[in-house]
Amino acid sequence: MPLRGIKVLDFGRYIAGPYCAALLADYGADVIRIEAPDGNDDRYTVPVAGDGSGAMFLQMNRNKRCLTLKPGSPEGREIVRRLVAAADVVVANLPHDALVRLGLDYDSLAAINPRVILATASAFGREGPLAERVGFDAVGQAMSGTVHLTGTPDQPYRAQVNYVDFGTALHCAFGVMLALRERETTGKGQCVSGSLFGTALAMSNALTIDHALNGIERQPIGNRSYSSAPTDLFRTRDGWIVTQIVGAPIFRRWAELVERPELIDDPRYASDILRGDNGAELSAIMQAWCNPRTSEQAIDELAAARVPAAPVVRPSEALAHPQVAAMGLIDATAYPGTPRAAPVIRAPISLSASAKTAPKRAPQVGEHSDAILREIGYDDAAIAALRAQRII
């Protein structure tokens, strides 16, 4: 496994930090999640287990060990010092002032271990007028322009999936890998900094470049696309489907499928951007084609014509598709107190010569505290004293 031997301390919260650490754990890093003695708030979001642990927690914290700790106490600071001395990476998506207060800022960590890499993420980065503000995924979505463009002119919508958080975690994991590679040359660690705002702007950058260079202030157009058509959602006799018609060859096949070959040479539809500009007309044609068909019939005909399309499925249906099993995406992982194994999806990539580590469930609160403390020199009496003081 590529990251065997890499030790990671995960002080992360919710998604951006914990998912970064989970990706490292998937490929062999020894990740220690550090929580408050009664568990962190993010453990209990959307509870699914008998101990209150939530759906997001089971996903974000697979393959990790758990140490409970009050890191701001004098005893807790000494435990953190010992852990950092042996660590390769510290993940902490906390505001900078909180990092400094807990001694988890890069200068404090590097004074203990010059080889350590700090991966941190904030809402708006370290500099600028918003640097001290806190924020979650929706803040990044809203300030990147994408919420304005999603929905209708009367009602913007945010995405239900926290793509800004996940994107920030991916960027931070990428940064950690770069820092580990650089450390092979320099022998020194460094700070990897990500931000929700930066991630959101990166993901919406084509839209902001469009405005900067073309001067077009795009307005919300529902489920249609600005740069292709008919890219939209369509009602069928028994549900909904989506199509994404991009490029002249696919448009030609679509026009022939819906028995409108004259559209191929129509100057209004001569390019993707023109088709997007005139997308309402093309969506109307596609909707009329869908009206008499079930979703299955429509998808089968579109697939036969090699036109990209898919049914709009409920979350309850998403994992049941045979393609999910064929791709081996799910690691069914039992957690104490759940009615059945959780269908956890780990890093959805595969390496031809390197396997993921064997799947392990997320840890219970403080499950590995004693073992971790013994590894850094605490004996049973010292551990009992720390527990009696509610340090762990």
Side-chain angles (χ1 to χ4, degrees), residues 41-111:
D41 288 346
D42 62 341
R43 174 181 280 273
Y44 303 111
T45 302
V46 190
V48 296
D51 64 2
S53 294
M56 184 175 72
F57 180 84
L58 299 191
Q59 178 193 14
M60 298 297 150
N61 295 288
R62 73 267 182 158
N63 286 87
K64 299 179 185 179
R65 300 191 289 164
C66 180
L67 166 68
T68 52
L69 182 65
K70 288 183 177 177
S73 65
E75 296 87 350
R77 286 181 178 275
E78 172 58 19
I79 292 170
V80 170
R81 188 195 67 77
R82 295 194 195 188
L83 289 169
V84 169
D88 296 285
V89 180
V90 174
V91 176
N93 58 317
L94 300 170
H96 183 68
D97 59 347
L99 294 176
V100 173
R101 187 170 63 254
L102 295 172
L104 298 176
D105 58 293
Y106 179 69
D107 289 343
S108 297
L109 297 175

Side-chain angles (χ1 to χ4, degrees), residues 9-311:
L9 305 180
D10 178 13
F11 291 87
R13 300 294 184 269
Y14 293 98
I15 297 175
Y19 192 65
C20 169
L23 295 172
L24 305 178
D26 282 345
Y27 279 93
D30 176 16
V31 179
I32 298 173
R33 172 180 166 87
I34 298 174
E35 292 189 67
D38 293 322
N40 291 344
D41 288 346
D42 62 341
R43 174 181 280 273
Y44 303 111
T45 302
V46 190
V48 296
D51 64 2
S53 294
M56 184 175 72
F57 180 84
L58 299 191
Q59 178 193 14
M60 298 297 150
N61 295 288
R62 73 267 182 158
N63 286 87
K64 299 179 185 179
R65 300 191 289 164
C66 180
L67 166 68
T68 52
L69 182 65
K70 288 183 177 177
S73 65
E75 296 87 350
R77 286 181 178 275
E78 172 58 19
I79 292 170
V80 170
R81 188 195 67 77
R82 295 194 195 188
L83 289 169
V84 169
D88 296 285
V89 180
V90 174
V91 176
N93 58 317
L94 300 170
H96 183 68
D97 59 347
L99 294 176
V100 173
R101 187 170 63 254
L102 295 172
L104 298 176
D105 58 293
Y106 179 69
D107 289 343
S108 297
L109 297 175
I112 300 169
N113 178 1
R115 290 176 54 82
V116 78
I117 294 161
L118 171 64
T120 184
S122 60
F124 296 103
R126 287 281 308 277
E127 307 295 335
L130 302 182
E132 299 304 315
R133 294 192 184 180
V134 297
F136 285 117
D137 178 277
V139 170
Q141 289 190 37
M143 292 196 64
S144 68
T146 57
V147 171
H148 169 72
L149 295 176
T150 304
T152 69
D154 296 328
Q155 178 62 68
Y157 286 94
R158 70 172 180 88
Q160 288 288 353
V161 173
N162 297 310
Y163 71 86
V164 176
D165 278 333
F166 280 100
T168 302
L170 288 164
H171 287 147
C172 287
F174 172 65
V176 168
M177 300 310 297
L178 294 177
L180 287 170
R181 179 69 178 87
E182 181 73 3
R183 194 179 69 175
E184 294 176 5
T185 302
T186 66
K188 295 182 179 180
Q190 58 185 296
C191 182
V192 175
S193 300
S195 71
L196 303 182
F197 190 35
T199 293
L201 287 173
M203 291 186 167
S204 65
N205 195 203
L207 295 169
T208 51
I209 291 174
D210 174 30
H211 176 264
L213 301 187
N214 289 329
I216 300 172
E217 189 69 81
R218 302 286 183 185
Q219 298 302 316
I221 55 174
N223 291 304
R224 291 192 287 114
S225 169
Y226 301 105
S227 58
S228 65
T231 295
D232 206 342
L233 298 183
F234 302 99
R235 185 185 291 275
T236 65
R237 282 170 48 194
D238 61 352
W240 293 83
I241 68 167
V242 63
T243 62
Q244 192 164 14
I245 314 300
V246 180
I250 294 176
F251 180 72
R252 184 180 302 110
R253 295 197 296 271
W254 171 81
E256 292 170 348
L257 173 66
V258 300
E259 298 181 340
R260 295 293 301 272
E262 74 277 7
L263 300 174
I264 297 170
D265 296 320
D266 189 319
R268 293 175 298 168
Y269 312 126
S271 66
D272 277 331
I273 194 67
L274 287 171
R275 291 190 282 273
D277 290 343
N278 297 285
E281 298 95 324
L282 295 174
S283 284
I285 293 169
M286 184 60 181
Q287 184 59 68
W289 183 85
C290 287
N291 286 337
R293 292 167 168 82
T294 66
S295 292
E296 184 177 5
Q297 289 169 337
I299 294 297
D300 286 347
E301 292 184 51
L302 288 159
R306 297 189 59 76
V307 173

